[in-house]
Amino acid sequence: MNEGGLTCDAFLGGRVHAWQPARGYRAGTDPVFLAAACPARAGQSVLELGCGVGVASLCLRARVPDVRIMGVERQAAYADLARRNGLDVTLADLAALPAALRARSFDHVIANPPYFATGDGTAARDDGREAALREATPLSVWIGAARARLRPKGWLTMIQSADRLPDCLAALAGGFGAISILPLQSRMGRPARRILLRARKGGKAPFTLLAPLVLHAGVRHEKDGDDFAPVAASVLRDGAPIDWG
């Protein structure tokens, strides 16, 4: 469905629909994997930092209908679309949250921070896409904001570019434990380009590096259409949770 520079796109095999810009930053599979990685249960509360149009939160709500979700987004146009998509969203910079939100705490924080550090790569032509992909706020501030908003023993779940893992671990050293890393590998034999990260505020369990989740079957794309491996397909089409073992 199209409407004045917007498209309404389906996720989870049509269980979720979200309005997003036809041009600029558009949600793909990453927020779906983020939602699948969050261990939220019915009755718990979730804060999504930098929610964009809200696809991760929508996918999480589709799997756990009784979860309470709030989003934070600093780009007004994306915050408006997230509200249109049915989410409770605060328009704010996560580095300067309003007092009412600073007074709250959550069982879970989820986030899909920009993958590129300041100065890396070529700037996107679209301002919204540029803001979504290249950090204006350091990754350490994202993780610090998550820590501040989590209840004791609450969980942070993030998706990030694999080359930013050292930055993530350095920032998590202040107040997080029970850190688990799940590499997302496009195909067998290829480097992981994304990682899912889960960490617990005040956790004491040791660091865990899990075996990669391989997204596509076979060593190369052999035919038209997608070739997702069964586990990835169950996440992307059926809204299945990711098993952290």
Side-chain angles (χ1 to χ4, degrees), residues 49 109 111 113 138-148 150 154-160 164-182 195-205 207-208 244:
L49 297 176
V109 171
L139 193 52
S140 59
V141 176
W142 284 75
I143 291 174
R147 182 177 61 250
L150 279 169
W155 288 98
L156 167 63
T157 306
M158 289 176 48
I159 188 167
Q160 185 52 251
R164 303 299 304 278
L165 178 57
D167 299 326
C168 292
L169 295 177
L172 289 167
F176 284 97
I179 300 167
S180 296
I181 304 297
L182 176 62
I195 55 104
L196 286 165
L197 176 157
R198 195 166 73 176
R200 195 168 202 180
K201 183 176 178 177
K204 302 298 183 184
F207 175 88
T208 303
W244 287 81

Side-chain angles (χ1 to χ4, degrees), residues 125-148:
R125 295 180 180 178
D126 178 83
D127 290 343
R129 180 175 176 81
E130 174 68 8
L133 295 180
R134 194 175 322 281
E135 67 178 28
T137 303
L139 193 52
S140 59
V141 176
W142 284 75
I143 291 174
R147 182 177 61 250

Side-chain angles (χ1 to χ4, degrees), residues 16 30 60 67 100 133 158 187 194 200:
V16 167
D30 286 357
L60 177 57
V67 75
L133 295 180
M158 289 176 48
R187 297 184 188 275
R194 298 279 187 270
R200 195 168 202 180

Side-chain angles (χ1 to χ4, degrees), residues 73-92:
E73 174 55 47
R74 70 183 179 92
Q75 297 191 78
Y78 287 82
D80 288 343
L81 285 173
R83 295 187 189 104
R84 180 174 179 177
N85 290 332
L87 295 176
D88 179 9
V89 178
T90 296
L91 178 64

Side-chain angles (χ1 to χ4, degrees), residues 2-234:
N2 298 317
E3 177 189 298
L6 303 175
T7 64
C8 188
D9 300 301
F11 299 85
L12 302 186
R15 292 171 59 193
V16 167
H17 289 83
W19 289 97
Q20 56 181 340
R23 295 184 178 180
Y25 176 74
R26 291 174 53 78
T29 60
D30 286 357
V32 183
F33 282 112
L34 174 62
C38 178
R41 302 188 305 273
Q44 291 187 323
S45 58
V46 179
L47 175 66
E48 183 178 4
L49 297 176
C51 67
V53 303
V55 170
S57 290
L58 293 170
C59 289
L60 177 57
R61 193 171 65 187
R63 176 167 59 85
V64 191
D66 295 326
V67 75
R68 303 187 306 277
I69 301 178
M70 172 175 281
V72 172
E73 174 55 47
R74 70 183 179 92
Q75 297 191 78
Y78 287 82
D80 288 343
L81 285 173
R83 295 187 189 104
R84 180 174 179 177
N85 290 332
L87 295 176
D88 179 9
V89 178
T90 296
L91 178 64
D93 190 315
L94 62 88
L97 295 175
L101 188 50
R102 295 199 308 271
R104 298 183 60 179
S105 59
F106 297 82
D107 298 302
H108 300 270
V109 171
I110 62 174
N112 180 10
Y115 293 151
F116 300 110
T118 303
D120 285 356
T122 302
R125 295 180 180 178
D126 178 83
D127 290 343
R129 180 175 176 81
E130 174 68 8
L133 295 180
R134 194 175 322 281
E135 67 178 28
T137 303
L139 193 52
S140 59
V141 176
W142 284 75
I143 291 174
R147 182 177 61 250
R149 299 279 58 79
L150 279 169
R151 294 185 175 125
K153 304 302 182 181
W155 288 98
L156 167 63
T157 306
M158 289 176 48
I159 188 167
Q160 185 52 251
S161 177
D163 63 355
R164 303 299 304 278
L165 178 57
D167 299 326
C168 292
L169 295 177
L172 289 167
F176 284 97
I179 300 167
S180 296
I181 304 297
L182 176 62
L184 300 180
Q185 188 175 356
S186 62
R187 297 184 188 275
M188 289 292 294
R190 298 188 184 181
R193 300 296 186 189
R194 298 279 187 270
I195 55 104
L196 286 165
L197 176 157
R198 195 166 73 176
R200 195 168 202 180
K201 183 176 178 177
K204 302 298 183 184
F207 175 88
T208 303
L209 178 62
L210 299 169
L213 173 58
V214 180
L215 305 184
H216 297 278
V219 296
R220 64 180 63 85
H221 193 76
E222 301 282 2
K223 59 183 180 180
D224 293 340
D226 69 57
D227 58 354
F228 288 113
V231 172
S234 69

